[in-house]
Amino acid sequence: MSASPASRRAQEVASIPSLRRINEFLGNSTYSRRQHVPGICDFTLGNPHQMPQDAYVDALREALAPQNDQWFAYKTNVAEARAAAANGLRRLLGVPFEPEDLYLTTGGFTAIALALKAVADPGDEVVYSLPPWFLYEPLAVEAGLVPVKVRINPETFDLDLAAIEAAITPRTRVVIINSPNNPTGRIYPPELLQRLATLLDEASGRIGRRIYLVSDEPYNRIVFDGARFHSPVEFYPYTLLAYSYGKTHLAPGERIGYLALPPTMPDRKELGTAVGAMQLAMGWIFPNAVLQYALPRLEEFSIDVGQLQRKRDRLVEELGRMGYRLRPPEGTFYLFIHSPIADDEAFTEALSREDVFVLPGVLFETPGFFRMSLTASEDMVERSLPAFAAAIERTAN
């Protein structure tokens, strides 16, 4: 008789080292004990540290007012929401998405889980690059899939295509990429995406089964310096695109996103039928009614990207002057910075004693770095600079 009341899969998920580290950081750390103390400098998560935009609040308030007796009834993929989201993708990417190509979800997180379960069977392999968004492995393991990890180029933060190719086996079903990338801030250029598409097409032929690409794109509108974002859907038709409005509006607690199948995907109608069925089977993962009603207005604006860029520029300049090694991010909310000492956990713990909180690189399976979120307030940025200066000076002595 089993001694544990938990299923084997639940035990396997709970035992993932990166997940255990995250849970420890969020539940039993200096940060967890002081995160709500006034005056700290919080650069940990992509959470807001200023009041939300009036336009965002107004959109939700308007959507909340019922217009008929079915306003709060069960909702699946509301037609107006789908159409607005498809129009937004067409404007951003120049790809002719249709409303029926989009499947609305409770955030981009669920869109990734939906994509994995729609195309992969238990035992299939999922390839992704390190440093990753730290929940790819739990999502894969929960779906019964096998994570296969490769490293990025540590100098350019680009994908290591040779490493991806070497990792592909007859069991490979999915490759996940994330651009603009969390945590590095890298936007993968079109020539790299084209080479990746060629690699995956040739590998699919070699192993005799189609390899799908899951493109995790919650930051595709958070780009700096006038950069043009390119999505893998422009180059590889077997791409499933996951998106979240929680990043675009810095409202991660309001869960709405979608999974999109490009119009170039062969047999997308058949796959779409399976995706629609999984939306119900995974626990009615459609966004709630109010957020779906608000979506057409949410497509009209975003957070102030210029303000994020100003904070990026300030931190890159000041931290670089102090001696920190970092590449300016091209998008996202984050800076991914070399720790001045090898033990990034010890360095981030030393910062925490000054009430400056960042995430150590080990949470991203990349020791020797730390991540800062640009969603910290401008006041936090300025107050943190003396602590960063003192911290790196201590390492030189």
Side-chain angles (χ1 to χ4, degrees), residues 134-287:
F134 37 56
L135 291 173
Y136 289 148
E137 184 169 7
L139 284 173
V141 171
E142 190 280 329
L145 310 177
V146 180
V148 177
K149 307 170 188 180
V150 301
R151 288 281 173 191
I152 62 168
N153 183 314
E155 300 303 319
T156 65
F157 288 161
D158 274 333
L159 300 171
D160 185 334
L161 297 185
I164 292 174
E165 184 172 27
I168 291 173
T169 76
R171 295 172 60 194
T172 303
R173 186 60 164 174
V174 173
V175 172
I176 302 175
I177 73 164
N178 171 213
S179 177
N181 182 266
N182 172 14
T184 68
R186 178 65 168 146
I187 298 175
Y188 300 137
E191 55 271 20
L192 181 68
L193 296 177
Q194 181 59 71
R195 289 166 55 206
L196 176 64
T198 301
L199 183 162
L200 294 180
D201 200 47
E202 292 176 350
S204 296
R206 184 172 65 252
I207 68 174
R209 68 187 308 219
R210 176 54 57 185
I211 299 171
Y212 285 89
L213 183 63
V214 173
S215 183
D216 181 17
E217 300 184 14
Y219 302 96
N220 63 20
R221 304 176 204 195
I222 313 298
V223 300
F224 304 135
D225 303 311
R228 163 78 161 86
F229 170 75
H230 289 276
S231 170
V233 301
E234 301 171 51
F235 306 94
Y236 190 63
Y238 298 93
T239 298
L240 297 88
L241 187 161
Y243 178 72
S244 169
Y245 290 91
K247 307 302 183 184
T248 305
H249 297 290
L250 192 49
E254 297 294 327
R255 308 297 298 163
I256 183 166
Y258 56 73
L259 183 68
L261 310 182
T264 53
M265 179 184 284
D267 302 320
R268 82 180 190 281
K269 300 297 185 184
E270 180 180 355
L271 180 56
T273 298
V275 169
M278 291 300 291
Q279 286 179 290
L280 276 71
M282 289 173 63
W284 201 272
I285 61 171
F286 307 97

Side-chain angles (χ1 to χ4, degrees), residues 114-132:
L114 176 61
L116 294 177
K117 292 184 176 183
V119 300
D121 292 311
D124 284 345
E125 293 175 347
V126 179
V127 178
Y128 59 87
S129 295
L130 306 182

